[in-house]
Amino acid sequence: MTSTSRPAWIEPPNPLVTAVKGILIGLILLVMIYPLAYVILNSFAAPEATTSAGLIPSEWSFSAYTTIFEGGVVLRSMIVSTVITLVGTALSLAVTATLAYGLTKTRQLPGVRAALYLVLLTMIFSAGIIPNYLVVKAFGLLDSYWALIVPVLASAFNVVVMRNFFMQLPRELFEAARMDGAGELSIFLKIVLPLSKAVLAVIGLFYAVSYWNSFFNAMLYLNDSSKWPIQLVLNSYVLQGSAMSSMNNTDMYNLPSSQAVQMAVVVMATVPILIVYPFLQKYFTKGVLTGAIKG
């Protein structure tokens, strides 16, 4: 029996079933890829060519991207979203990893199990919009970028996943490090984190996507349009069709209400975060499944 032969207890695949599966997978891919391809291709269409409903425009042009970059609103909102995503993801990873490692000490430290129950409780019950708004207002975070970071700094789900991953690391390494005189901080920084690159990459991607797509919190806490992230600008221009004001709120201008410009704004808000996925795809199975199986 060759290495590529099928084991005797596994029946050979049915050609009809295989064909049906292939057709279904092809249809699913078409449904998922077609809208994205339509948006990207039509963002390069000339203004007079966007009235047609075809996938490929009849005339090509970079005028839509030239328009949105000359206006400055989209570019400014992209910078805002990028800074919020980078800073928020870094802080969230630091808080989540530290909290998750502390919650692994349920047998060593008193009160850790109670803290774990409190974290799990937040997965079931959460405060409403009004209490969250009042807390943000009480801390003076309204119209501040910190209002988009601090209230969502740590996710209970991500803490639990990372804690379960930490629980499966070899205990022998920790014991050997303690025998060599290493403290908990050294163990955490030099042993736990280097061995947890997979789960850190996955959780970091979760946080990055959340911060990049932050829309409701920005709409709730940011009254100054000059501080709007890209998702709020996208909503204001594409969905509501409202005019964009300049960032200094003195000179007013309107982006032309063409389909190509709207598609270009959608591309600018969507494609950057999609680029990150291929680089972190290899960590997903190990990072998420390993952290969710046990604990």
Side-chain angles (χ1 to χ4, degrees):
M1 179 180 295
T2 62
S3 59
T4 58
S5 61
R6 183 177 298 276
W9 60 85
I10 298 181
E11 298 181 358
N14 188 320
L16 179 60
V17 175
T18 303
V20 172
K21 290 181 179 179
I23 294 174
L24 290 177
I25 293 175
L27 291 176
I28 293 174
L29 289 176
L30 180 62
V31 171
M32 296 177 63
I33 295 176
Y34 182 84
L36 180 61
Y38 179 86
V39 170
I40 294 177
L41 292 177
N42 279 272
S43 67
F44 293 100
E48 61 275 6
T50 56
T51 55
S52 62
L55 176 63
I56 301 177
S58 58
E59 297 183 28
W60 299 86
S61 173
F62 289 94
S63 60
Y65 290 95
T66 303
T67 300
I68 61 177
F69 281 116
E70 285 179 350
V73 176
V74 176
L75 182 59
R76 173 64 178 268
S77 63
M78 288 282 294
I79 296 175
V80 169
S81 291
T82 301
V83 173
I84 291 175
T85 300
L86 294 177
V87 174
T89 301
L91 293 178
S92 293
L93 277 178
V95 172
T96 301
T98 306
L99 178 58
Y101 181 69
L103 293 178
T104 61
K105 308 297 180 181
T106 52
R107 298 182 180 179
Q108 292 86 351
L109 298 175
V112 174
R113 187 172 298 274
L116 177 60
Y117 289 151
L118 289 177
V119 172
L120 295 176
L121 188 65
T122 62
M123 299 178 63
I124 305 175
F125 303 99
S126 61
I129 298 176
I130 296 178
N132 284 329
Y133 182 86
L134 294 177
V135 170
V136 171
K137 182 179 180 180
F139 280 93
L141 298 179
L142 291 181
D143 260 342
S144 169
Y145 294 134
W146 291 110
L148 307 182
I149 298 177
V150 175
V152 292
L153 197 57
S155 166
F157 174 80
N158 293 336
V159 170
V160 172
V161 171
M162 192 171 292
R163 173 187 179 272
N164 291 342
F165 189 94
F166 290 164
M167 294 288 289
Q168 298 179 51
L169 296 177
R171 300 292 103 183
E172 294 80 5
L173 293 176
F174 302 157
E175 295 174 1
R178 293 189 182 96
M179 292 180 62
D180 291 338
E184 290 296 335
L185 182 60
S186 298
I187 294 175
F188 176 67
L189 296 178
K190 298 180 180 180
I191 298 179
V192 175
L193 293 185
L195 293 176
S196 306
K197 294 180 180 178
V199 72
L200 289 174
V202 174
I203 298 302
L205 180 60
F206 289 165
Y207 279 125
V209 172
S210 176
Y211 283 117
W212 181 266
N213 292 331
S214 178
F215 163 74
F216 185 76
N217 285 348
M219 181 178 64
L220 194 64
Y221 302 134
L222 299 182
N223 298 320
D224 187 357
S225 61
S226 65
K227 298 180 179 180
W228 282 0
I230 183 63
Q231 301 300 335
L232 204 54
V233 172
L234 173 65
N235 172 78
S236 180
Y237 182 70
V238 177
L239 298 185
Q240 300 178 8
S242 63
M244 293 288 125
S245 62
S246 60
M247 285 304 157
N248 55 17
N249 293 324
T250 57
D251 300 325
M252 304 297 293
Y253 60 86
N254 296 335
L255 293 177
S257 181
S258 67
Q259 182 179 342
V261 174
Q262 294 178 352
M263 296 298 180
V265 177
V266 173
V267 170
M268 297 299 297
T270 306
V271 170
I273 199 65
L274 291 179
I275 298 177
V276 182
Y277 275 94
F279 298 98
L280 300 179
Q281 183 66 34
K282 61 181 180 180
Y283 295 110
F284 264 75
T285 301
K286 182 178 179 182
V288 175
L289 296 184
T290 305
I293 289 174
K294 179 182 177 182

